[in-house]
Amino acid sequence: MMNTRYNWLPEVFNDFFDMNLPMRSANTTTPAINVIESDKGYTMKVAGPGLTKDDFHVSLNEDGNLTVKMDKQTDDKEQNSHYVRREWSFTKCEQTYSLPDDVDKDNIKAHVADGVLTIELPKVGKDEAQVSRSIQIG
């Protein structure tokens, strides 16, 4: 049974956590991600083999959702090449994630190393993360 603690991930990733299903096809259009939770926050790792810092764009929209864009710029030399076989066809991808309420959205950091985009999502203190409250009726 799937752990509902991770319901903030898009449904497309639900099958990833179900170990009874076969592995996804390598020809998917969304990048593979790993999310690690600790007491201090979440670490999201997005696979982007062959991509550099300039190929990624990470932003937070007005609703507080995290958007990760990947756009591999190909050079003219590669575009004019005749491929005998081409399985590496990544060009552009965009995915938006609804973040948990306990993420400190003002202190999100990201970096790229060895084709992996790592996004650090620190948690806010328990008092700050509390969304439920009593509303005074006037």
Side-chain angles (χ1 to χ4, degrees):
M1 176 166 267
M2 193 175 123
N3 187 341
T4 57
R5 286 177 47 197
Y6 301 105
N7 61 356
W8 61 276
L9 289 170
E11 281 188 325
V12 72
F13 297 108
N14 286 349
D15 292 343
F16 182 77
F17 294 108
D18 188 352
M19 298 302 174
N20 296 324
L21 294 175
M23 290 297 291
R24 295 186 295 170
S25 166
N27 295 329
T28 60
T29 57
T30 57
I33 67 162
N34 289 335
V35 179
I36 304 161
E37 182 181 10
S38 70
D39 293 339
K40 296 181 182 193
Y42 304 91
T43 301
M44 178 184 238
K45 295 188 177 200
V46 182
L51 300 183
T52 66
K53 173 182 159 183
D54 296 332
D55 298 325
F56 290 98
H57 178 72
V58 180
S59 62
L60 203 61
N61 68 16
E62 61 278 352
D63 295 326
N65 297 322
L66 184 76
T67 299
V68 177
K69 293 180 186 178
M70 298 164 44
D71 188 4
K72 177 65 176 169
Q73 302 298 323
T74 55
D75 59 16
D76 292 335
K77 182 175 147 186
E78 190 174 305
Q79 287 178 348
N80 296 326
S81 298
H82 174 71
Y83 286 89
V84 176
R85 180 178 177 117
R86 185 174 186 175
E87 293 183 0
W88 223 12
S89 62
F90 173 83
T91 55
K92 189 182 262 189
C93 177
E94 180 177 331
Q95 186 71 40
T96 300
Y97 305 92
S98 297
L99 298 177
D101 292 333
D102 62 348
V103 169
D104 181 357
K105 294 178 175 91
D106 293 328
N107 291 306
I108 296 172
K109 294 185 172 119
H111 67 276
V112 175
D114 300 324
V116 176
L117 170 67
T118 301
I119 305 169
E120 299 293 337
L121 305 159
K123 290 182 180 178
V124 294
K126 291 188 183 214
D127 294 337
E128 296 175 56
Q130 231 173 12
V131 194
S132 60
R133 61 185 171 93
S134 178
I135 299 175
Q136 194 73 21
I137 300 173

